[in-house]
Amino acid sequence: MNDILPEASGTWRFLEQSVQDLVQSYGYTEIRLPLLEYTELFRRSIGEVTDIVEKEMYTFLDRNEESLTLRPEATASVVRAGIENGLLHNQRHKLWTAGPMFRYEKPQKGRYRQFHQFDVEALGYEGPDVDAELIIMSARMWKRLGIDRIRLEINSLGSPDSRVAYRKTLVNYFSGVKNRLDDDSIRRLEQNPLRILDSKNPDMQAIIAAAPVMLDDLDDESAGHFAELRVLLDEAGVAYTVNLRLVRGLDYYNRTVFEWVTDALGAQGAVCSGGRYDGLVEKLGGRATPAVGWAMGMERLVALYAACGGIVPEQHADVYLVAVGDVAQRRAFSLVEELRSSIDGIRIELNLGGGSFKSQLKRADKSNATYALILGEQELADGNIGLKPLRSTEDQISVAMNELAGMLAARLA
Ligand code: ATP
Ligand code: MG
């Protein structure tokens, strides 16, 4: 679990804000959710026989002996909230949410126990138009941020029925190579063979690569849905590869699944992943509601943005007020507040804790402010204030106090 320190938080805020602005411009609105849910919610939605539920959840009993879990992902909570608040009765919602997620994984670069996701969910939409729009929206996000080392993989998991057929195909195949499966996969063979395809074990990759693919078992409607999605992506000029072994690690997906992957971050290549989960609302007790969404790992976005040469606009003060002497220091307090009232959005820092003229000016320089304002006893007596440009070779000038706000506003505009 990481601390995000001041030197990094500017990048985080910039990226969070960029992503929020983008999805808001597509009509998504924010929903804020609790970090804790009943454990049962995740067991039922993500699935008992998955990495997350079997090994990765932070689960504990509260004082009332109820089993609670720190959320490992957001989709289940969005659906729970939608049902509980009556948002899903013949309504459609495009929602976004963001915040920390918790998974007890082996920490390594790009993989943490508390990490952050940005999440979008479209509830009540059958697609494939919304599937396409969600993907196109993410493609625009990379473009806006100048992220080019990323590519898209898509697949279709079909309907629940066609998954039953595919499951049989997989059990057959993996049973034939059972002596080469790892312990997890042997355990999952009967319970959840699809999960074997999502194994991260390098020793399993050859067996997985040779496994039969879903496509052969795909039902007609899902095949049509997938074909239309591809047409829409083609028309939008969004490039992709069909990865027939992309299944995702959670049980609730059907039909469209996709993943944006990068080679810029080593082994942790998945940056943004999602898919359709038409059965989940009903499974959790709501009325059948088609839905689709994606989640992006913010730590990986931050790293990828840097890897692609992204630079974050620096945050610094416009003005640093230097005040020397007791009287000037007291006057400085009211002066900065007057300036804040008269110049909208001005970023102004008041020297705190006194100090000599020289040491205050040093602080002003360190603050990266554009100007220092200098107030001493002489200036007070004359009704003036010194304005010293800190980022240019321009000379300091003296400004009449009653002209200061106007002059600063003009210079900062
Ligand atoms: P991975 O294949 O890397 O384990 P995942 O399939 O488990 O990822 P999802 O559950 O789809 O991931 O979560 C969506 C996104 O959240 C991922 O694409 C990734 O960017 C990010 N993510 C997932 N787990 C972690 C983690 N432990 N630390 C940091 N980011 C993570
Ligand atoms: Mg994972």
Side-chain angles (χ1 to χ4, degrees):
M1 299 189 184
N2 296 312
D3 302 308
I4 297 169
L5 299 177
E7 64 196 34
S9 61
T11 307
W12 276 76
R13 282 179 26 146
F14 168 74
L15 291 173
E16 284 164 351
Q17 194 61 54
S18 306
V19 180
Q20 285 172 27
D21 290 348
L22 176 83
V23 305
Q24 291 272 155
S25 78
Y26 277 78
Y28 286 76
T29 52
E30 186 183 13
I31 180 168
R32 297 194 183 201
L33 301 161
L35 303 192
L36 279 174
E37 298 277 357
Y38 288 121
T39 304
E40 192 53 21
L41 175 69
F42 301 118
R43 290 186 170 283
R44 286 176 59 194
S45 56
I46 297 167
E48 294 279 358
V49 187
T50 57
D51 275 352
I52 293 179
V53 171
E54 284 183 330
K55 309 176 193 170
E56 297 175 358
M57 294 205 302
Y58 281 91
T59 296
F60 61 95
L61 294 180
D62 72 1
R63 288 169 190 277
N64 197 26
E65 305 277 302
E66 311 251 34
S67 181
L68 302 182
T69 293
L70 279 166
R71 62 180 187 189
E73 60 109 42
T75 305
S77 307
V78 171
V79 170
R80 195 263 316 134
I83 296 170
E84 244 174 59
N85 295 285
L87 303 182
L88 302 176
H89 297 294
N90 296 319
Q91 297 173 52
R92 311 203 294 182
H93 291 278
K94 295 197 284 188
L95 304 172
W96 68 267
T97 193
M101 307 292 157
F102 304 85
R103 296 184 192 177
Y104 191 84
E105 301 198 68
K106 192 170 151 236
Q108 51 200 289
K109 187 169 168 272
R111 191 176 296 286
Y112 310 104
R113 291 184 170 176
Q114 174 176 328
F115 62 102
H116 297 77
Q117 280 185 348
F118 189 93
D119 199 78
V120 291
E121 312 286 351
L123 297 145
Y125 296 82
E126 233 161 325
D129 52 358
V130 66
D131 306 26
E133 192 189 65
L134 274 167
I135 292 173
I136 291 165
M137 181 167 79
S138 45
R140 179 169 297 281
M141 177 166 71
W142 314 131
K143 207 167 163 194
R144 261 197 204 177
L145 294 172
I147 290 173
D148 47 9
R149 295 174 67 179
I150 198 156
R151 59 189 181 78
L152 174 64
E153 295 188 346
I154 62 173
N155 191 22
S156 176
L157 298 178
S159 66
D161 283 349
S162 58
R163 270 174 74 164
V164 171
Y166 182 48
R167 196 191 146 99
K168 277 196 196 129
T169 313
L170 280 181
V171 173
N172 268 338
Y173 167 75
F174 284 121
S175 301
V177 291
K178 197 168 173 180
N179 56 339
R180 291 162 60 204
L181 300 184
D182 63 8
D183 291 347
D184 269 347
S185 303
I186 289 174
R187 200 162 34 78
R188 286 169 181 179
L189 182 56
E190 296 299 333
Q191 292 172 297
N192 199 351
L194 217 68
R195 285 288 74 79
I196 301 177
L197 296 179
D198 196 45
S199 166
K200 302 278 188 316
N201 184 350
D203 299 339
M204 291 285 302
Q205 297 313 311
I207 301 169
I208 291 168
V213 292
M214 178 72 195
L215 201 62
D216 308 327
D217 290 315
L218 210 59
D219 57 289
D220 289 348
E221 267 188 64
S222 298
H225 189 108
F226 194 50
E228 180 62 17
L229 169 65
R230 294 182 60 171
V231 168
L232 293 172
L233 291 179
D234 290 340
E235 286 197 355
V238 174
Y240 56 83
T241 51
V242 175
N243 175 356
L244 296 172
R245 287 184 180 79
L246 179 67
V247 291
R248 313 273 302 108
L250 305 87
D251 279 352
Y252 50 63
Y253 288 112
N254 69 300
R255 289 196 176 159
T256 310
V257 288
F258 58 91
E259 201 153 273
W260 288 96
V261 288
T262 178
D263 60 7
L265 302 179
Q268 269 51 261
V271 180
C272 174
S273 353
R276 181 158 277 286
Y277 49 96
D278 295 328
L280 186 57
V281 177
E282 197 174 16
K283 183 163 191 195
L284 294 179
R287 253 190 240 174
T289 306
V292 56
W294 54 245
M296 177 169 57
M298 288 303 296
E299 281 78 3
R300 294 184 195 177
L301 177 68
V302 168
L304 182 58
Y305 184 65
C308 293
I311 297 167
V312 174
E314 208 189 313
Q315 279 290 322
H316 57 78
D318 297 314
V319 175
Y320 190 102
L321 180 49
V322 168
V324 185
D326 290 346
V327 187
Q329 277 177 38
R330 237 165 271 138
R331 170 69 183 110
F333 260 90
S334 53
L335 179 59
V336 289
E337 291 306 324
E338 285 160 25
L339 291 173
R340 286 183 177 118
S341 297
S342 52
I343 307 173
D344 207 29
I346 189 171
R347 293 166 299 182
I348 185 164
E349 213 182 309
L350 171 62
N351 181 75
L352 296 173
S356 68
F357 174 69
K358 209 174 141 197
S359 69
Q360 290 195 37
L361 210 58
K362 241 188 204 161
R363 287 185 195 139
D365 202 47
K366 226 179 137 194
S367 78
N368 273 329
T370 314
Y371 297 102
L373 281 175
I374 297 161
L375 193 62
E377 266 155 44
Q378 191 58 52
E379 284 83 0
L380 269 182
D382 298 345
N384 290 335
I385 190 160
L387 177 72
K388 183 177 167 63
L390 295 172
R391 309 290 139 214
S392 74
T393 49
E394 249 180 284
D395 286 335
Q396 178 175 334
I397 54 168
S398 180
V399 184
M401 207 47 119
N402 58 3
E403 287 168 9
L404 176 64
M407 159 153 322
L408 266 182
R411 285 196 172 223
L412 294 172

